[in-house]
Amino acid sequence: MGKIVGMVLVGLLVAGVSGSVAKSQDTSEKSGPVVTGTSPRAGDRAVDPSVKEIAVTFSKEMQTNNMWSWVMESADTFPTVTGKPHYLSDKRTCVLPVRLAPGNTYRIWINSDKFDAFRDPDNIPAVPYLLEFRTRQLGTN
């Protein structure tokens, strides 16, 4: 599958995905942007399954015209997408409308070795980042 810009990527990645999440935490002008925050938070094990969107915030302003790479690792760990991704007015935060299921683990790559459309205005791709979280079962807090 070729590079798709402006669409949520649904191609399956095989086991060879880059093992290093952060190649560099240098946020100087010449380095790529890095993820500074996510919602839900990475590693959270009790996310409310009624959450309607996933957001990622970068260390720099980003290209915002249909430029994102929400990358699927597997169909079982990627949420149901309910709308088009979009950036907030800060130009650093991209939001993906989703539907989550209770008791499920989600693994979403923000950029990857093959798909890198999250880019800053200088066309430097963001460092790949794995967002993983789990929703709680219904009836639990």
Side-chain angles (χ1 to χ4, degrees):
M1 182 161 100
K3 183 183 288 187
I4 298 174
V5 177
M7 295 180 65
V8 176
L9 301 174
V10 294
L12 297 178
L13 297 179
V14 291
V17 174
S18 171
S20 174
V21 172
K23 295 175 186 169
S24 169
Q25 291 298 316
D26 179 13
T27 57
S28 69
E29 290 303 311
K30 295 180 183 174
S31 66
V34 296
V35 172
T36 60
T38 63
S39 178
R41 287 183 316 143
D44 194 337
R45 308 317 276 166
V47 173
D48 186 339
S50 68
V51 165
K52 301 291 183 208
E53 53 188 33
I54 296 170
V56 61
T57 301
F58 294 95
S59 59
K60 298 178 175 182
E61 287 189 4
M62 304 296 283
Q63 292 183 35
T64 60
N65 189 14
N66 294 320
M67 293 294 289
W68 45 71
S69 290
W70 299 92
V71 184
M72 177 189 293
E73 187 173 85
S74 77
D76 294 339
T77 63
F78 199 83
T80 301
V81 176
T82 61
K84 185 177 177 181
H86 61 276
Y87 280 87
L88 300 182
S89 61
D90 67 2
K91 298 183 181 180
R92 292 176 181 239
T93 303
C94 188
V95 176
L96 179 67
V98 297
R99 182 173 46 251
L100 304 177
N104 198 44
T105 297
Y106 292 96
R107 292 174 55 89
I108 305 155
W109 281 94
I110 310 304
N111 275 3
S112 70
D113 287 343
K114 292 183 180 182
F115 304 104
D116 61 2
F118 278 117
R119 291 173 174 260
D120 71 14
D122 293 323
N123 209 34
I124 301 172
V127 174
Y129 180 89
L130 177 62
L131 170 58
E132 180 176 321
F133 62 90
R134 182 167 180 79
T135 53
R136 66 175 182 261
Q137 293 287 350
L138 292 179
T140 60
N141 292 330

